[in-house]
């Protein structure tokens, strides 16, 4: 599930039975990068192909964003809010992981966080406080020209 092709097009990262794997795009044996009782999914590649960010419930307090070398190894936790955080991409310079989450709607929003309308954030790959990039918009109103943004994966 959740396949992601590396920037050089040579490797696919994917989730299978709660772990992150990679496999050459040409075929071959898959290599498990994570293991353990945690459920991990949604891998995304850094622009240089050297790191993979993913979602994990390792801390048993909800899902957070982690990052690890694309070759495997120790994963570092980047977020701690546990707001159903799912990585979407890295910024083009590779300095931030962009992710969607259900953390905080602005006071001007008439909606509450839910799976259909989440906010967009970024967090430095070195760790630190996430920054909101895009909030859940106010209630859509055609006459006011407002547009609702959502990212629903099926």
């Amino acid at each position: 599930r959740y396949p992601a092709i590396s920037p050089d097009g040579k490797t696919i990262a994917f989730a299978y039975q709660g772990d992150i794997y990679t496999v050459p795009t040409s075929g071959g044996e898959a290599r498990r990068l994570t293991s353990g009782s945690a459920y991990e999914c949604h891998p995304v590649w850094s622009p240089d192909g050297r790191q993979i960010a993913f979602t994990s419930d390792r801390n048993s307090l909800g899902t957070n964003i982690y990052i690890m070398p694309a070759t495997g190894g120790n994963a570092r936790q980047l977020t701690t809010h546990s707001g159903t955080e799912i990585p979407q991409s890295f910024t083009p310079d590779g300095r931030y992981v962009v992710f969607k989450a259900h953390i905080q709607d602005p006071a001007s929003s008439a909606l509450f966080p839910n799976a259909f309308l989440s906010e967009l954030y970024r967090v430095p790959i070195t760790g630190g406080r996430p920054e909101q990039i895009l909030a859940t918009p106010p209630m859509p109103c055609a006459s006011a020209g407002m547009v609702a943004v959502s990212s629903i994966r099926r």
Side-chain angles (χ1 to χ4, degrees), residues 2-6 9-14 21-26 31 43 45 52:
Y2 314 109
I5 299 176
S6 64
K10 295 181 179 178
T11 309
I12 300 169
F14 63 96
Y21 290 78
T22 57
V23 66
T25 54
S26 60
R31 181 170 180 254
W45 292 88
I52 295 174

Side-chain angles (χ1 to χ4, degrees), residues 61-81:
L61 298 174
T63 57
N64 286 289
I65 306 295
Y66 289 76
I67 190 169
M68 70 177 172
T71 55
N74 291 331
R76 288 184 298 106
Q77 186 173 349
L78 296 182
T79 63
T80 58
H81 189 272

